[in-house]
Amino acid sequence: MLGLPQSDELVFFVNGRKVIERNADPEVTLLTFLRKNLGLTGTKYACGRGSCGACTVMVSKCDPVSKKIRHFSITACLVPICSLYGAAVTTVEGVGSIKTKLHPVQERIAKSHGTQCGFCTPGMVMSMYTLLRNHPQPSEEQLMEALGGNLCRCTGYRPILESGKTFCMESNGCQQKGAGECCLAQGEEDPSSLGRSSDISTELFAKDEFQPLDPTQELIFPPELLHPYLSSWHPVVQFYKIPNSEGILVY
C-alpha cells in the first residue's frame, strides 16, 4: 500500500449523493447507516440475517479490469459500510416515489396487486430493479433467480411474478397450457364450470396501462467514482485488541 494517500474518510454515493463518513465504525452495517444516519427508512429491517430480502438495495461498482459498471443486489443488513468505499448505493427512494414519479417496476407491482402489507415490497422492487439494470429484457428464469432471496408472507407470489414477467422478452405462461391441463384454459373451454366465461376475468392487470421501461432515464453511475484511484484501491480495515478497564480484550 506504499505510495497511496492515507485517509480516515469513507467515500461512497447513495442515490446519486456523495457521502463522506470520517472514522467510520467497521461494525455498522449499511442498513443501520441508511435508516439512522440518512433517514432512508424505505429499506426495511426484518430478519437481520440476510434471509428475507426486505433490506435489499443495489450496489454499483466500476470493474477496474473491464472498466464496466456492474450492479449487484445485496442484503444491507449483512454489509459493513466500510466495504463500500468507491461504490454507489441505490435504495428504493432513489428508484422512484409518489412525490416524484414511480418507476415502472414500482408501478407494475402496485397495479398487479403485488403488495398487501407492503413490508417486503421495497426489497422486491430493488431485486427486480437490479435485474433490469443488468438485463433490460430478462428471461423468466432470470426473474425467478433474482427474486429467490425475497420472502413474502401475504400475496402468494403470483402477482409479484406476473408483474415481473411483463419485463421479460418472452412469456411461456403456465407450464400445463401446452398439454391442455391449464386451469385457465379449461375454464375458457368449459363455460359451465364457473358460470359464463365472459363473466370471469383471469387477468391481473391491463398491460396497455403500464408506462414503458426506458433504461436511459435511470440514475447514472457517479463520474467521480470512475477515477482510477477510487475504482482500483480497496482500503483494508484493521481491528485492534484493546484491553478495557477490567482487563478484558475488546475488538
Side-chain angles (χ1 to χ4, degrees):
M1 303 297 292
L2 294 178
L4 291 177
Q6 300 297 317
S7 175
D8 61 354
E9 293 183 348
L10 174 65
V11 181
F12 62 103
F13 280 71
V14 176
N15 296 334
R17 296 185 177 182
K18 188 175 183 179
V19 175
I20 300 177
E21 185 72 7
R22 294 177 174 83
N23 298 314
D25 186 347
E27 294 186 359
V28 172
T29 64
L30 175 60
L31 176 60
T32 300
F33 188 82
L34 290 174
R35 293 180 62 84
K36 293 187 176 181
N37 294 58
L38 302 183
L40 298 174
T41 55
T43 306
K44 304 304 181 185
Y45 177 84
C47 70
R49 300 180 179 180
S51 301
C52 69
C55 65
T56 302
V57 298
M58 185 180 79
V59 170
S60 307
K61 289 189 175 183
C62 178
D63 190 318
V65 178
S66 65
K67 305 299 181 183
K68 294 182 178 180
I69 309 302
R70 302 192 181 278
H71 308 287
F72 309 91
S73 59
I74 65 166
T75 47
C77 67
L78 297 181
V79 177
I81 59 171
C82 290
S83 66
L84 297 173
Y85 187 89
V89 178
T90 304
T91 70
V92 68
E93 291 92 344
V95 172
S97 71
I98 57 175
K99 293 181 180 180
T100 55
K101 183 181 180 181
L102 289 178
H103 188 274
V105 172
Q106 297 168 314
E107 178 202 32
R108 297 189 191 192
I109 288 181
K111 289 185 176 180
S112 302
H113 314 286
T115 179
Q116 289 188 28
C117 78
F119 201 80
C120 72
T121 306
M124 295 285 184
V125 168
M126 294 312 302
S127 291
M128 202 178 298
Y129 177 78
T130 305
L131 171 66
L132 295 176
R133 290 299 300 267
N134 292 316
H135 306 283
Q137 288 187 313
S139 64
E140 291 189 12
E141 290 75 16
Q142 289 173 321
L143 174 66
M144 294 288 288
E145 183 178 357
L147 296 177
N150 295 83
L151 300 182
C152 177
R153 297 172 176 85
C154 299
T155 66
Y157 291 103
R158 181 199 169 195
I160 299 173
L161 292 174
E162 290 298 323
S163 67
K165 288 178 183 179
T166 61
F167 296 105
C168 297
M169 51 185 170
E170 59 181 11
S171 178
N172 297 324
C174 178
Q175 296 179 353
Q176 301 296 329
K177 193 170 185 178
E181 300 177 1
C182 176
C183 58
L184 296 180
Q186 291 175 358
E188 293 174 356
E189 296 173 1
D190 185 10
S192 62
S193 60
L194 291 174
R196 298 182 60 184
S197 60
S198 59
D199 298 333
I200 303 173
S201 175
T202 59
E203 298 293 333
L204 288 173
F205 45 77
K207 292 183 179 180
D208 56 353
E209 296 181 357
F210 295 151
Q211 58 175 317
L213 176 67
D214 187 358
T216 64
Q217 300 302 307
E218 306 293 0
L219 284 174
I220 66 170
F221 188 77
E224 182 178 343
L225 297 182
L226 296 174
H227 192 282
Y229 172 71
L230 286 173
S231 61
S232 62
W233 178 58
H234 300 279
V236 178
V237 179
Q238 296 180 339
F239 296 88
Y240 297 93
K241 298 180 180 180
I242 304 174
N244 60 12
S245 58
E246 299 178 357
I248 301 176
L249 291 178
V250 180
Y251 293 84

